[in-house]
Amino acid sequence: MELFMIVIGGKPDGRHTEQHDVFFGVGDSLKDLVPQMELFWPELVGKMHIDSWRKISHVGGFSVEVVLKNDFAYESDQKLYFVNLGGYKPQDMEEYHYKQIVVASNLAEATQVAKSSTFWKHHTSSHIDDKYGIDVDDIYEVTDLLSPSFKTKYSLKITADSEFAEEDTLEVGYLKISKLLSWD
């Protein structure tokens, strides 16, 4: 089983622009996650696509594995966090987001790791009120974002990478669900 992070896009009825959200799921393949994604965002069934995705197995010098709860005797003080940074640019109506996965022992440490990103460093003030800049819009422990069925059967095992493996590849580009379902 693999842990995936997927940016889902589509235009729900009544909206004028495409909307996006981040989905975390566990399966043998990306294709296996389609039913879970449809449960996650039912308004987009038949209109959903994927804008980017990645397997999550190597993050910041740590290895991340999906393991059966019965086999999981190892308790780590490290946790996997999803951080969504948001920022503005002058004369631009868009709020830009930088989504990242970090391993940290607690929420405060995860926030500090996120604030060391290049995206954060290129902004000097938070986007509170009428200022331009950047802020942590959302931060979650990834296990809190996974389905209840995952939590009853599986756990995430996080261990330091002795060889500091490269982070997982981020696959970026429009992928229709119908095309994904045709993959072998």
Side-chain angles (χ1 to χ4, degrees):
M1 301 289 274
E2 301 281 348
L3 175 62
F4 291 86
M5 175 182 171
I6 304 167
V7 174
I8 300 171
K11 192 164 87 172
D13 291 339
R15 299 295 175 186
H16 299 291
T17 62
E18 185 175 297
Q19 310 289 296
H20 297 92
D21 205 346
V22 177
F23 170 80
F24 290 89
V26 174
D28 290 321
S29 71
L30 186 63
K31 180 180 175 178
D32 291 342
L33 297 177
V34 172
Q36 293 176 49
M37 290 187 294
E38 289 176 340
L39 285 172
F40 173 73
W41 203 346
E43 297 85 2
L44 286 185
V45 172
K47 300 179 258 184
M48 182 183 299
H49 65 267
I50 294 173
D51 283 303
S52 62
W53 63 275
R54 72 177 269 194
K55 287 183 185 178
I56 300 174
S57 61
H58 297 286
V59 177
F62 291 87
S63 174
V64 179
E65 297 174 75
V66 176
V67 296
L68 288 170
K69 274 204 176 206
N70 297 347
D71 297 342
F72 189 60
Y74 174 80
E75 283 295 321
S76 172
D77 61 344
Q78 300 298 315
K79 296 178 178 132
L80 189 65
Y81 290 91
F82 164 63
V83 184
N84 181 32
L85 301 175
Y88 298 100
K89 293 181 181 180
Q91 300 302 310
D92 194 331
M93 292 185 79
E94 189 68 38
E95 179 184 3
Y96 294 91
H97 289 95
Y98 180 73
K99 298 161 181 61
Q100 68 187 112
I101 298 294
V102 300
V103 173
S105 58
N106 57 51
L107 194 60
E109 183 183 343
T111 301
Q112 287 309 112
V113 172
K115 287 182 176 183
S116 69
S117 73
T118 303
F119 186 80
W120 183 278
K121 290 177 183 177
H122 286 170
H123 296 77
T124 57
S125 63
S126 69
H127 73 245
I128 299 167
D129 299 324
D130 60 353
K131 295 179 182 179
Y132 301 117
I134 192 166
D135 197 10
V136 176
D137 277 357
D138 308 289
I139 187 166
Y140 302 97
E141 191 175 329
V142 170
T143 53
D144 293 340
L145 302 177
L146 293 166
S147 71
S149 62
F150 167 84
K151 294 175 194 175
T152 59
K153 293 181 185 178
Y154 303 100
S155 294
L156 296 180
K157 181 180 179 183
I158 301 170
T159 54
D161 262 341
S162 58
E163 298 178 22
F164 201 82
E166 246 182 74
E167 296 234 351
D168 305 295
T169 303
L170 176 61
E171 304 291 340
V172 178
Y174 186 90
L175 174 59
K176 287 184 177 182
I177 297 298
S178 59
K179 183 175 181 181
L180 173 62
L181 291 173
S182 70
W183 288 359
D184 287 332

